[in-house]
Amino acid sequence: MITFDTNQLDTMAWNNTVIQMLIRLGEYKGKQALYFQQSPEILTALKNVAIIQSTESSNRIEKIIVTSKRLELLVHEKVAPQDRSESEIAGYRDILEVIHSSAEHMRVNNGLIKQMHRDLMKYATGAGGRWKQADNNITETLPNGNVLIRFVPVPAFQVDTMMQSLNTGFQAKRDNGGIGDLILIAVYVLDFLCVHPFSDGNGRMARLITLLLLYQAGYEVGRYVSIEKIIEETKEQYYNTLYHSSMHWHEGKNNLLPWIEYFLSIMIKAYQRFEERVGSLDRGRGWKARQVEAVIKHMMADFTVADILERCPGIAGPTIRQVLNKLSREKQIESISMGRNARWRKSEI
């Protein structure tokens, strides 16, 4: 049952974990503008990396994989897709670009969602843009080869009505203003996945709609840090929380909390990465070296120059190597392998 058609949200008592995460995310959102006024070259580099990572991760979750070289060429529209996987990548790229450029003008309704799905599938099958024609199940293939049904979504004949209810219910709650945007977005995504309105592409559509709704609510971090990549890194938790929060959904008696806590946690991770990569608001002399040192300080495992480059967009390799040599002389880090792909480790002092 669509959550917005029940009184679950109105009667829920939020635990301290959720309250603290919402406060923290409010603080991150409040600081966004300060960071956006900083070095444009860093933000541009972050955006370029995030687009590639988002396209790759959201598709890889669904086992759609291409080589890194082909991925970059496809994302930058330098080649045409050559097979089904590349066609799926190209479709995702196109919708992501539209969301990045036009989110504020995209009112979420049945028509828009079907249009997005049509564009997602246009290179692959050309059969997108319509609700599923047959019932589908969410399944898991076990190591022994047996298939486990994890959830039975809404039957095909009910999809249009349920999606209409989801979109109008979400909009009404948002207009009312009594419940925070992040909670509403998390619940919308959960309900969308429980409806499972398409025969293919539901997971990718859910992640694209997540970004769209976040941008409309003023949470811009997904432009600069790939939320899809964080979901991929926490894929097991992603599926487990979806499973637990979808139990008894049809009766309107499901537990929203596991999914909401997970959703808020990935948002916090995204903002943490954003602040780590943008670095201090201090842009005085020597800030690049200080930023590299701060990134190295937070490394939890062995690392390479490439690892630091990813976290320090706009800072050149020679600057990073100078910092590595300095910290090595000070015995704060040590080299554990040499050569082109040299690896480093923080010293145990």
Side-chain angles (χ1 to χ4, degrees):
M1 181 180 294
I2 298 300
T3 304
F4 300 114
D5 291 341
T6 72
N7 65 350
Q8 285 190 80
L9 288 173
D10 298 316
T11 59
M12 279 193 74
W14 303 110
N15 61 32
N16 190 57
T17 299
V18 169
I19 292 170
Q20 290 303 314
M21 285 196 286
L22 288 172
I23 291 172
R24 192 170 177 185
L25 286 163
E27 292 171 350
Y28 280 132
K29 183 183 179 184
K31 291 191 291 184
Q32 278 180 163
L34 295 174
Y35 284 104
F36 294 164
Q37 294 167 12
Q38 303 306 305
S39 302
E41 73 275 11
I42 289 183
L43 295 178
T44 299
L46 276 174
K47 189 180 293 186
N48 291 337
V49 171
I51 289 171
I52 292 174
Q53 289 182 341
S54 293
T55 304
E56 179 179 38
S57 290
S58 194
N59 282 278
R60 193 160 55 197
I61 290 170
E62 311 300 334
K63 298 181 173 58
I64 300 167
I65 300 170
V66 299
T67 65
S68 297
K69 182 177 180 180
R70 289 292 297 178
L71 174 72
E72 190 163 348
L73 291 171
L74 286 163
V75 168
H76 294 305
E77 300 186 56
K78 294 183 177 179
V79 294
Q82 294 181 337
D83 56 28
R84 175 65 184 264
S85 291
E86 291 193 359
S87 297
E88 305 271 19
I89 295 285
Y92 197 91
R93 169 206 67 201
D94 286 357
I95 305 178
L96 197 59
E97 182 178 336
V98 171
I99 291 172
H100 278 195
S101 62
S102 306
E104 66 272 22
H105 306 299
M106 299 169 68
R107 184 177 177 85
V108 178
N109 53 38
N110 283 11
L112 175 71
I113 291 173
K114 287 194 281 189
Q115 180 182 332
M116 288 172 62
H117 187 259
R118 180 201 67 195
D119 293 343
L120 178 68
M121 306 303 294
K122 69 180 177 182
Y123 301 105
T125 66
R130 58 176 181 262
W131 305 134
K132 62 188 178 186
Q133 302 298 299
D135 297 348
N136 52 4
N137 294 326
I138 299 174
T139 63
E140 177 186 2
T141 302
L142 302 176
N144 62 7
N146 292 337
V147 176
L148 173 69
I149 296 177
R150 292 180 66 91
F151 185 75
V152 178
V154 166
F157 78 92
Q158 291 184 347
V159 166
D160 192 68
T161 301
M162 296 292 268
M163 287 301 300
Q164 182 67 35
S165 181
L166 173 58
N167 290 320
T168 56
F170 170 80
Q171 190 63 50
K173 287 290 187 185
R174 188 163 64 174
D175 291 345
N176 180 265
I179 301 170
D181 285 324
L182 289 173
I183 298 291
L184 296 179
I185 294 169
V187 171
Y188 182 101
V189 174
L190 174 66
D191 280 4
F192 178 91
L193 289 169
C194 287
V195 174
H196 231 60
F198 300 107
S199 59
D200 187 24
N202 292 287
R204 284 168 288 157
M205 282 293 298
R207 291 184 284 277
L208 287 163
I209 292 170
T210 297
L211 282 181
L212 173 59
L213 295 177
L214 285 171
Y215 294 168
Q216 291 178 345
Y219 292 89
E220 299 281 332
V221 68
R223 297 184 188 276
Y224 305 102
V225 173
S226 172
I227 292 174
E228 295 95 326
K229 182 173 173 60
I230 297 173
I231 292 173
E232 184 189 14
E233 292 169 354
T234 57
K235 187 166 61 174
E236 185 175 344
Q237 187 181 5
Y238 170 75
Y239 285 122
N240 283 341
T241 54
L242 274 176
Y243 173 72
H244 289 296
S245 284
S246 63
M247 293 174 66
H248 307 297
W249 179 86
H250 290 279
E251 300 83 20
K253 296 179 180 179
N254 55 317
N255 182 5
L256 299 170
L257 202 56
W259 171 250
I260 288 174
E261 288 185 352
Y262 170 75
F263 185 87
L264 297 178
S265 74
I266 66 170
M267 289 296 297
I268 287 173
K269 284 183 175 129
Y271 273 108
Q272 286 173 331
R273 290 187 185 183
F274 177 66
E275 292 200 347
E276 174 189 301
R277 293 172 188 184
V278 174
S280 168
L281 294 173
D282 171 19
R283 288 293 185 266
R285 183 178 177 85
W287 73 267
K288 291 183 178 181
R290 291 195 296 275
Q291 172 63 6
V292 174
E293 288 192 30
V295 166
I296 291 173
K297 179 181 178 182
H298 288 93
M299 286 292 188
M300 301 300 293
D302 300 345
F303 57 90
T304 65
V305 171
D307 293 327
I308 301 173
L309 280 168
E310 180 187 350
R311 292 162 172 78
C312 298
I315 300 180
T319 299
I320 291 172
R321 290 184 179 87
Q322 287 176 8
V323 174
L324 288 171
N325 291 333
K326 170 181 173 290
L327 296 179
S328 179
R329 290 193 302 270
E330 295 173 353
K331 301 193 182 305
Q332 295 188 49
I333 62 172
E334 56 185 334
S335 173
I336 57 174
S337 68
M338 305 296 289
R340 185 174 181 179
N341 297 313
R343 302 189 68 79
W344 299 79
R345 175 183 300 162
K346 287 190 290 186
S347 300
E348 296 181 6
I349 302 176

